[in-house]
Amino acid sequence: MELKNLAVPSVYALICFLAYSSQVLFLYLEPHPLDRDQAIRFNALLACLFISYSRSVAVDPGHIPKSSEKEIDATGKKTRQRWCRKCEAVKPPRAHHCKQCKRCIPKMDHHCPWTQNCVSHTTFPHFIRFLFYAVVCMSYLAYFLWIRFSLLWENRHLPSYLGPSIFHLGHLFLLIAANSFTLFALSMLLIRNIWCLAVNTTTIEGWEIERHKTLLRRSRAFGGFLDGPEGTRVRIERQEFPYDVGIWTNFKLGMGTANMLAWFWPLAATPLVSTGLSFPINDFEAPTTTWPPPDPDRMSNRRAVKDTDFNINSEAFTYRDAELTPMQTVAAFRKRQDDDVVRRRKPFVARVEAWQARQGDASAEPGSYGELDAYETYGEEYEGAGEFRYGDEDVVEEHAEEGQREQRKGQGSPGGNESGEEGWRNSEGERLRDFGVDEDVEFYDEEEDDVPLSTLLARKREAAAAGYVVGGEVE
């Protein structure tokens, strides 16, 4: 049995230990048991806690329906769409591919290890109710514990035989320690989730917002441009988060209803998956602008075959894996598949340092710095950038300092093989995979242009059969 399978039983055990062993202990400590009203209120809150937690564990986080219909805005123009190569389907806005659930989840917030379920469009209301009732129950319990602890402290000079036993004292202090630590941790988590609910962001989108700010800072040093795959130059422009549509509307969308009483009712209806496939946006950006913003390091970069990989002239009509065992042949084939899907980009800091080294070594041969020669041009002057030269020492020093900060956050050795630019971490030291998403699928994202031709043809046939027509053409 894996340790992660013990997470949910452990949470239930902790709730029972804090809630019920404390009520047994109160039979032996002054002022003795809870009175009738206290017991009813406390156990009613416990029932709400158990129901909310059970629903956050058991409710399906949702499936993305495979639809061939394109998203068309009011002007009739198609918006930029993301393609999940594992689900082989279009990912709706705010959806992400969960590595644990092995599918795309609508409005995924993160995969919670303590519920063993995704916090998503359908489960978020249950999850935040669980946090709310957990904090309320533990606060109420802290009040009961404080009353009994304060009485013990006042009577600390009395003979020990007049007070509780060593076992009861140990039980009391264990309850105080466990309750205080858990209350603090869940209070911080509840405050953070209420803030995310108020501004209508998820934890993954918070990471994307910080990533966008980092790209803006980087691009300012290079005239507003950053280099993408295969030598492309991508303009980085400030983009506002589109889904913050006002605090009241944000709460309604996040909780699935405008009924405030239902926000606290543990048996409230689960939001429908269909309401989590599209979302209202604010008017700060054009309607065709999508989130997340363009990121040159996240653009799909399909690997070109090199002569060193396979010499067509010398190995034509030959089977190069003839000497491998069947298992090794399958492993080699799968590795080539993975290499063909995406080529990882080196961390930004490593690319800048490689450019520094190349600038300082005039005798360096072309190609000696790997992918830098293919599409890194930090020493060139971009069009429209005036007289500013992006090889200036102050710019390089700025990014060298940024690299040191990112390395201290645990991004690893620059240029290391274990992690590329997908290892970028935010100010809290979190990388994308820490939220439970499949990092290779999510970071190196694919858009509609990268959809396999066979899939496009099949979708076109489905659309023709369904009769979707836009502008006189079958869509």
Side-chain angles (χ1 to χ4, degrees), residues 22-243:
S22 61
Q23 296 185 61
V24 174
L25 177 64
F26 294 161
L27 297 173
Y28 303 95
L29 296 179
E30 294 183 354
H32 297 301
L34 304 179
D35 61 39
R36 182 173 179 274
D37 291 340
Q38 288 176 333
I40 291 176
R41 286 193 295 266
F42 186 56
N43 286 283
L45 289 172
L46 280 175
C48 294
L49 172 60
F50 273 113
I51 294 172
S52 299
Y53 179 68
S54 299
R55 298 191 75 188
S56 66
V57 171
V59 169
D60 189 349
H63 292 74
I64 305 298
K66 292 187 177 182
S67 173
S68 60
E69 185 176 2
K70 307 291 192 299
E71 293 182 5
I72 308 294
D73 65 12
T75 63
K77 297 180 180 178
K78 287 187 291 187
T79 59
R80 180 173 67 94
Q81 293 182 331
R82 298 176 301 151
W83 173 261
C84 180
R85 58 178 175 270
K86 288 203 171 180
C87 295
E88 296 185 349
V90 172
K91 282 191 291 190
R94 314 182 80 176
H96 302 278
H97 190 93
C98 177
K99 194 169 186 177
Q100 302 296 327
C101 299
K102 302 186 185 304
R103 66 177 187 267
C104 285
I105 304 296
K107 195 189 172 184
M108 178 179 173
D109 186 281
H110 67 284
H111 188 92
C112 179
W114 299 108
T115 63
Q116 282 299 294
N117 199 8
C118 271
V119 179
S120 68
H121 177 72
T122 59
T123 60
F124 178 81
H126 308 307
F127 180 75
I128 200 168
R129 275 191 288 267
F130 154 63
L131 295 177
F132 172 76
Y133 283 114
V135 169
V136 171
C137 287
M138 288 187 291
S139 299
Y140 207 10
L141 177 59
Y143 167 72
F144 297 145
L145 294 171
W146 171 252
I147 291 176
R148 285 147 183 84
F149 177 79
S150 60
L151 285 175
L152 285 175
W153 184 257
E154 290 176 2
N155 299 326
R156 65 187 182 279
H157 298 300
L158 294 177
S160 60
Y161 64 84
L162 296 177
S165 66
I166 295 296
F167 174 78
H168 293 149
L169 284 176
H171 189 186
L172 175 63
F173 285 107
L174 186 59
L175 282 171
I176 292 174
N179 188 72
S180 300
F181 175 79
T182 310
L183 176 59
F184 175 78
L186 292 189
S187 296
M188 296 298 101
L189 189 58
L190 175 62
I191 292 172
R192 178 173 180 174
N193 276 270
I194 291 176
W195 168 257
C196 290
L197 181 61
V199 297
N200 201 12
T201 64
T202 64
T203 53
I204 295 176
E205 289 166 345
W207 183 93
E208 292 173 340
I209 291 172
E210 193 166 341
R211 169 77 181 175
H212 181 53
K213 292 178 179 177
T214 298
L215 294 179
L216 287 171
R217 186 176 67 252
R218 291 175 179 177
S219 66
R220 281 198 297 267
F222 298 102
F225 288 87
L226 288 177
D227 289 338
E230 302 175 358
T232 59
R233 293 175 180 176
V234 180
R235 175 176 286 279
I236 306 298
E237 297 178 324
R238 181 178 180 83
Q239 184 173 323
E240 296 295 333
F241 183 69
Y243 300 114

Side-chain angles (χ1 to χ4, degrees), residues 371-437:
E371 69 171 340
L372 188 69
D373 289 309
Y375 44 79
E376 298 299 340
T377 54
Y378 292 112
E380 296 182 7
E381 183 176 359
Y382 289 99
E383 182 180 357
E387 297 181 355
F388 180 76
R389 300 289 297 183
Y390 304 110
D392 290 349
E393 294 182 359
D394 56 342
V395 173
V396 175
E397 290 176 0
E398 176 185 348
H399 288 287
E401 293 174 0
E402 177 185 345
Q404 294 174 1
R405 291 194 300 270
E406 292 183 349
Q407 289 181 48
R408 285 195 294 269
K409 288 189 290 187
Q411 191 156 310
S413 174
N417 295 326
E418 295 183 357
S419 179
E421 183 63 21
E422 77 279 357
W424 181 87
R425 297 175 184 267
N426 62 10
S427 58
E428 298 180 8
E430 298 167 324
R431 58 189 289 175
L432 198 55
R433 71 181 180 191
D434 294 334
F435 306 116
V437 301

Side-chain angles (χ1 to χ4, degrees), residues 247-268:
I247 185 169
W248 171 246
T249 305
N250 292 341
F251 270 90
K252 290 193 299 181
L253 293 172
M255 298 303 294
T257 177
N259 185 353
M260 294 184 65
L261 295 178
W263 297 354
F264 302 94
W265 179 235
L267 296 176

